[in-house]
Amino acid sequence: MSDSLTANLDFEKNIIEVEDRIKHLQQLGNNDNLNFDSEITRLQTKLERLLKSTYSKLTPWQKTQVARHPDRPHTIDYINGLITDFTMLSGDRAFADDNALIGGIGRFCGQSIVVMGQEKGHDLDTRMKHNFGMAKPEGYRKAQRLMDLADRFNLPVLTFVDTSGAFPGVDAEERGQAQAIASSIERCLNLKVPMISTVIGEGGSGGAIAIATANRILMLEHAIYSVISPEGCASILWRSPDKVKEATEALHLTAQDLRKFGIIDEIIAEPIGGAHRNHAETINHAKEVILRHLQELLSFSGEELKKKRTEKFMKMGRKFAKSE
Amino acid sequence: MNWISEFVRPKIKKTSAKEVSDNLWTKCPECGQMLFNKELEKDYFICSFCGHHLRLPVETRFKMLFDNSRYRLINLPKVQDDPLNFKDTKRYIDRLRTYRRSSHNDDALSVAVGNIDSIRTVIGALDFGFMGGSMGIAVGEGIAKACDFAAKTSAPLVLITASGGARMQEGMLSLVQMARTTAAINAFKESGLPYISIMTDPTTGGVSASFAMLGDINIAEQGSIIGFAGARVIEQTIRETLPEHFQKAEYLRDHGMIDIVINRMNMRETLARILKLLIAKTN
Ligand SMILES: [Zn+2]
């Protein structure tokens, strides 16, 4: 993932400086058989301290930047890391194949499953191919088609959510973006198999919930999930894009806030310094948590799973409802 | 149509300020003609010059649709205000108070029960004048209540939308109302009763992408803007001008998303006919 396009995160300036010095010393050591071990160790200790202190108190806006970091593990990385025998399935059987939302069948810890998620891409070519993870109606109809398959063969559904939102475009509107999202939510609710959704980066509004109306909703530690992008919120409510940090605070879009509000079920810990620093460890944490939830859900019947999922969403916000 | 004669001037003024030049006249937002308010009310808030359907108060809507303009409002559950303690340039709680004062309603949704050509029907309607008809916890709770009440009393359900989408000021608690209202509609549909969705100007965002698009029959008022993304956002994304009639009710019908585009004048008769066809299957 060396060909990422965006610059380093502004608040990581000191961290990256130390990381670069360590890399530099390691290279010098390799080339000239010199030994900088003690200095490298000192710097590594310093680095760890810096990472810990920075990442333990990220602001909501910094989390938003981390959640969007181009080097974060994306849906494809989770599929490669967690799913064996993955077999990609394409198309909505009506109009097109949407690469913004990819999916298929495979095995998760031995269990056959249906897996899907938005893929943002990691360089210019793949970003274009995947339309930056912004699905069109055919993407949400592919999701529904994959859920039909899951129901037919009694396969649990795992989704990975990572999108700034559904694609806003003329073609998407004329093919019924609103209808596609609405019916995808409905399809999720009618599933008679376990469904677990994990917000791995950005959970952007309707385009996210379309594949996240699940029995369990998990979120990476520094992921965000929001009704509107902080930028959109700032420009509508503050009428000023400069107020993006204020909007980010006000929206309560962090995993920690959403756990408090009962929107999500569990937070998946990220390695020190964020998921983009250690894919393997991140994906392994995700695996443990997803597996535990899946094992719990597998003990319920299809009808129970559907009922529980409906009740879960019918309750949301109700703990804030006063009695009639 | 004797129910028109009992047409009462709505107590609630919901037309937005800029559409009203003074107490007597309203400017048509489409053709710019000045319309005499008393005449406008008589014409169901349809412009007599160009036929444009202006937004109308929910109370007027109910009076137009129910037999003899008679209906009973259903009490909707109270919810906790402002769960996020949200503040932009103004506190959300203060905005809420302002809208409550001007609308005499707790939130954007009203639900009523009455007869449409003798068929007992539950109608829920969103008021665009109340924070753009946006959907937060209160609207979600109200839709759930409407679904539950209609199913329990074996009444068909009509939901009339006018909404910019989810209510940002309630953050994710508003986004999940998309799933919640869909779940409520889902449960209602299991009763075997019809759910008719009537989309009016405008119906966008989280409302169009949840319960509004899931009607057994989807109806739209002519000329209404209906879509997912806002036209401005789309223009900024694709950087071209949008096609003519883009996101208009007729455009959605032509692209297969809407069953019937309707003139407001015909709404009551059309609803009555459809409900009878779906419920009173033999006559
Ligand atoms: Zn006019």
Side-chain angles (χ1 to χ4, degrees):
Chain A
M1 300 219 136
S2 54
D3 48 0
S4 64
L5 299 174
T6 41
N8 295 321
L9 304 175
D10 51 13
F11 63 87
E12 283 197 344
K13 195 166 165 276
N14 294 338
I15 291 169
I16 286 160
E17 223 173 74
V18 177
E19 280 178 337
D20 285 347
R21 263 155 67 197
I22 293 171
K23 247 182 260 165
H24 182 67
L25 288 182
Q26 282 168 338
Q27 271 166 4
L28 278 182
N30 287 342
N31 294 342
D32 304 339
N33 278 329
L34 294 169
N35 194 326
F36 299 108
D37 283 357
S38 66
E39 178 60 7
I40 290 174
T41 308
R42 192 188 69 82
L43 285 173
Q44 274 167 339
T45 312
K46 184 181 173 182
L47 176 64
E48 189 154 324
R49 208 175 52 235
L50 263 176
L51 283 171
K52 263 189 190 153
S53 67
T54 308
Y55 272 79
S56 61
K57 49 179 201 302
L58 291 180
T59 65
W61 173 244
Q62 288 170 336
K63 278 185 187 275
T64 303
Q65 292 174 286
V66 173
R68 293 169 174 172
H69 196 291
D71 292 346
R72 254 179 109 75
H74 287 173
T75 292
I76 282 178
D77 303 304
Y78 285 88
I79 290 177
N80 288 338
L82 298 178
I83 310 297
T84 54
D85 290 339
F86 176 64
T87 306
M88 173 103 79
L89 301 175
S90 302
D92 68 348
R93 295 294 186 272
F95 178 76
D97 183 39
D98 187 347
N99 281 306
L101 198 155
I102 57 169
I105 47 176
R107 238 174 247 288
F108 172 69
C109 300
Q111 162 78 48
S112 286
I113 48 96
V114 163
V115 60
M116 68 181 93
Q118 295 99 346
E119 171 57 43
K120 287 182 167 182
H122 60 85
D123 58 19
L124 190 59
D125 284 347
T126 52
R127 282 173 187 184
M128 297 291 279
K129 176 185 171 194
H130 296 290
N131 197 29
F132 301 82
M134 294 185 287
K136 295 179 182 180
E138 45 273 27
Y140 296 109
R141 293 187 179 119
K142 172 158 76 174
Q144 293 168 56
R145 191 219 128 199
L146 291 174
M147 288 189 256
D148 291 344
L149 189 79
D151 252 346
R152 183 159 147 66
F153 294 100
N154 199 23
L155 308 175
V157 176
L158 306 181
T159 72
F160 294 98
V161 177
D162 193 15
T163 181
S164 58
F167 184 67
V170 173
D171 54 346
E173 292 293 318
E174 76 183 2
R175 293 197 290 277
Q177 189 71 285
Q179 192 279 341
I181 291 171
S183 56
S184 190
I185 293 172
E186 188 179 37
R187 189 66 195 83
C188 291
L189 286 164
N190 283 326
L191 271 177
K192 289 186 177 158
V193 292
M195 179 176 184
I196 300 171
S197 296
T198 308
V199 182
I200 56 174
E202 230 182 333
S205 193
I209 202 167
I211 60 162
T213 307
N215 293 97
R216 300 289 157 86
I217 306 164
L218 316 173
M219 242 176 118
L220 270 284
E221 185 181 350
H222 305 307
I224 59 165
Y225 193 3
S226 182
V227 63
I228 184 170
S229 72
E231 289 83 356
C233 184
S235 77
I236 295 171
L237 291 184
W238 277 266
R239 296 175 203 285
S240 159
D242 304 338
K243 297 290 183 185
V244 65
K245 284 181 190 167
E246 285 85 340
T248 313
E249 307 263 342
L251 284 166
H252 291 77
L253 44 63
T254 67
Q256 292 69 28
D257 277 341
L258 297 177
R259 179 79 193 82
K260 267 184 244 155
F261 285 115
I263 302 284
I264 64 163
D265 297 287
E266 187 166 342
I267 297 170
I268 299 171
E270 295 191 22
I272 295 161
H276 54 288
R277 285 205 160 70
N278 193 334
H279 283 200
E281 194 182 324
T282 307
I283 291 169
N284 209 37
H285 282 169
K287 177 183 180 174
E288 287 166 24
V289 179
I290 294 170
L291 181 61
R292 175 159 41 78
H293 284 280
L294 181 61
Q295 279 165 342
E296 282 173 31
L297 293 174
L298 282 169
S299 65
F300 298 108
S301 72
E303 283 300 333
E304 283 171 327
L305 288 163
K306 182 185 164 186
K307 189 160 168 268
K308 281 176 176 293
R309 196 180 307 115
T310 296
E311 282 169 357
K312 174 191 181 76
F313 284 91
M314 288 304 291
K315 263 200 319 234
M316 276 192 191
R318 190 163 280 172
K319 85 176 199 192
F320 300 98
K322 291 173 189 155
S323 55
E324 277 175 67
Chain B
M1 300 231 274
N2 60 340
W3 53 281
I4 303 169
S5 58
E6 295 187 34
F7 199 91
V8 185
R9 184 191 169 85
K11 277 172 289 193
I12 308 160
K13 281 209 196 87
K14 289 177 185 173
T15 327
S16 71
K18 61 184 166 192
E19 285 171 9
V20 184
S21 56
D22 57 41
N23 291 334
L24 294 176
W25 296 86
T26 297
K27 188 178 183 177
C28 172
E30 185 68 25
C31 70
Q33 290 280 357
M34 296 305 289
L35 307 165
F36 194 53
N37 281 344
K38 280 193 177 159
E39 199 189 346
L40 191 57
E41 281 175 22
K42 193 166 59 63
D43 294 339
Y44 317 102
F45 289 82
I46 297 170
C47 173
S48 54
F49 294 91
C50 72
H52 180 73
H53 287 37
L54 282 79
R55 287 174 196 144
L56 80 176
V58 167
E59 192 182 344
T60 313
R61 177 81 74 184
F62 286 154
K63 289 188 167 167
M64 285 179 55
L65 294 177
F66 286 117
D67 295 354
N68 302 317
S69 296
R70 288 184 57 190
Y71 59 90
R72 180 168 66 83
L73 285 172
I74 309 288
N75 281 331
L76 301 181
K78 297 252 181 278
V79 301
Q80 186 195 308
D81 292 334
D82 191 14
L84 304 190
N85 204 0
F86 195 99
K87 180 173 175 289
D88 46 80
T89 53
K90 215 175 152 185
R91 293 197 310 162
Y92 172 41
I93 190 76
D94 292 335
R95 282 187 204 276
L96 268 179
R97 285 182 186 132
T98 307
Y99 283 108
R100 280 174 185 165
R101 260 196 305 274
S102 64
S103 70
H104 304 287
N105 196 358
D106 278 347
D107 213 290
L109 183 75
S110 301
V111 179
V113 60
N115 290 341
I116 298 178
D117 206 1
S118 302
I119 296 176
R120 203 171 150 286
T121 305
V122 172
I123 305 183
L126 284 171
D127 172 12
F128 190 75
F130 196 111
M131 294 195 79
S134 56
M135 172 165 68
I137 299 171
V139 169
E141 190 78 20
I143 298 283
K145 170 90 186 195
C147 291
D148 189 54
F149 180 82
K152 281 193 176 135
T153 58
S154 299
L157 177 68
V158 177
L159 294 178
I160 306 175
T161 55
S163 172
R167 188 171 296 172
M168 284 173 280
Q169 290 89 343
E170 294 183 18
M172 275 301 293
L173 288 163
S174 73
L175 189 81
V176 294
Q177 302 308 316
M178 291 173 72
R180 191 177 187 208
T181 53
T182 302
I185 291 293
N186 238 351
F188 173 77
K189 283 179 176 171
E190 281 173 16
S191 71
L193 293 155
Y195 159 44
I196 314 293
S197 171
I198 300 180
M199 291 171 248
T200 72
D201 188 56
T203 298
T204 60
V207 167
S208 68
S210 61
F211 65 91
M213 277 292 171
L214 297 173
D216 292 306
I217 292 181
N218 290 338
I219 297 175
E221 258 187 5
Q222 65 179 60
S224 305
I225 293 289
I226 300 163
F228 179 65
R232 232 184 23 199
V233 176
I234 296 171
E235 243 164 352
Q236 284 162 2
T237 310
I238 61 168
R239 294 175 199 288
E240 13 180 305
T241 44
L242 301 172
E244 213 186 335
H245 306 304
F246 182 63
Q247 292 186 326
K248 288 280 176 75
E250 297 75 9
Y251 174 95
L252 268 91
R253 178 199 53 207
D254 294 349
H255 284 93
M257 301 302 146
I258 302 279
D259 292 293
I260 305 165
V261 173
I262 202 172
N263 185 304
R264 191 178 289 160
M265 298 287 277
N266 305 323
M267 189 178 290
R268 181 182 140 83
E269 182 274 320
T270 307
L271 263 182
R273 178 163 29 87
I274 288 172
L275 291 177
K276 279 188 187 156
L277 285 167
L278 297 178
I279 293 172
K281 287 167 207 164
T282 52
N283 63 3

